[in-house]
Amino acid sequence: MASQTKPVLHGYFRSSCSWRVRIAFALKGVEFDQVPVNLIKDGGLQLTEQYKTLNPMQQVPAVEIDGITLSQSLAVIQYIDETRPGPRLLPADPKKRAQVRMISDLIASGIQPLQNLYVIQKMGAEKMQWAQHFIDRGFRALEPILKETSGTYCVDDEISMADICLVPQVYNAERFKVDLEKYPTIKRLNQTLREIEAFRVSHPSCQPDTPEELRG
């Protein structure tokens, strides 16, 4: 049974992983509180000893929910799906559910970590080229998969965890000037999803910690 206490999301406005969790909460209609963790200020507030007690990997997000603290966005999304009413984020059909997990893992493990802030900071002047290379590499694999699995959304015609992972990754691709014309299926799905309210309200341009100059 879900607790009556609102979940608390410790995250960063532009973090893909934090954004995924915001989308999941919005799709489920779950109210939650946000505690901003600025990944840049003072060298990164995620690196403080205080935050390390919430997430030993010193990454965002960390989510306090139902008396436990969870990190790793896909684990958080699946917990939300299993404990909250509303639209399913993983399909009932085992084959479709496996496809959703495959797409989600491809993005969350195969693309996003290679161009996240921690890695990019290590790359110095080569960061743009590095990010483009690994996003392109991932999208070249993702495009034919989505061509096979997609309907209106990533897997058939129901929004799932795969869609939750896709939109933040395309946002990053745009930030790093990746040519999306090469990936028509990815581009089509992203355009469709970004019109949906849950994706719009969770967008980095309208979070409590969004800098004024980036507000949309």
Side-chain angles (χ1 to χ4, degrees):
M1 197 70 180
S3 166
Q4 296 304 306
T5 306
K6 280 202 288 187
V8 178
L9 167 62
H10 300 259
Y12 182 60
F13 78 102
R14 204 154 59 181
S15 151
S16 297
C17 303
S18 302
W19 188 1
R20 292 173 198 155
V21 174
R22 295 195 303 263
I23 296 168
F25 278 139
L27 286 168
K28 287 284 193 175
V30 175
E31 291 188 7
F32 63 101
D33 290 326
Q34 293 199 57
V35 177
V37 180
N38 193 313
L39 302 185
I40 298 170
K41 183 181 179 183
D42 299 330
L45 300 184
Q46 75 279 16
L47 303 178
T48 64
E49 286 301 315
Q50 181 183 4
Y51 185 74
K52 191 176 180 180
T53 63
L54 283 173
N55 186 343
M57 272 295 282
Q58 296 178 292
Q59 299 171 334
V60 291
V63 179
E64 297 178 89
I65 185 168
D66 301 342
I68 60 173
T69 301
L70 295 172
S71 59
Q72 300 302 322
S73 62
L74 300 194
V76 175
I77 291 164
Q78 290 177 74
Y79 181 78
I80 293 168
D81 196 33
E82 292 165 1
T83 60
R84 266 61 183 175
R88 292 185 65 105
L89 304 180
L90 284 102
D93 177 77
K95 290 179 181 177
K96 291 181 184 177
R97 192 161 64 244
Q99 288 175 325
V100 166
R101 286 180 168 141
M102 172 180 67
I103 293 162
S104 301
D105 281 339
L106 192 158
I107 295 169
S109 300
I111 306 176
Q112 189 272 328
L114 290 158
Q115 41 91 101
N116 74 4
L117 181 65
Y118 184 81
V119 172
I120 288 297
Q121 285 175 334
K122 300 286 185 187
M123 295 310 300
E126 296 178 17
K127 65 182 182 181
M128 182 71 75
Q129 185 180 359
W130 171 277
Q132 287 175 346
H133 171 79
F134 283 105
I135 295 171
D136 266 319
R137 179 174 178 266
F139 278 11
R140 284 196 300 271
L142 189 58
E143 176 70 19
I145 290 171
L146 290 174
K147 198 171 180 181
E148 288 290 318
T149 63
S150 65
T152 308
Y153 306 116
C154 285
V155 177
D156 284 351
D157 298 320
E158 293 183 4
I159 294 173
S160 70
M161 183 168 69
D163 302 288
I164 290 171
C165 291
L166 182 70
V167 170
Q169 185 55 60
V170 175
Y171 173 84
N172 279 340
E174 291 170 337
R175 283 182 60 214
F176 289 113
K177 312 286 190 234
V178 172
D179 179 12
L180 292 177
E181 296 304 320
K182 296 182 290 186
Y183 311 110
T185 310
I186 291 172
K187 185 178 177 183
R188 170 181 66 81
L189 291 167
N190 182 65
Q191 287 173 335
T192 300
L193 289 162
R194 284 184 59 167
E195 294 302 312
I196 295 167
E197 181 68 9
F199 289 81
R200 289 168 56 188
V201 299
S202 58
H203 193 274
S205 64
C206 55
Q207 300 312 306
D209 57 329
T210 305
E212 200 58 46
E213 65 274 15
L214 297 177
R215 290 193 168 274

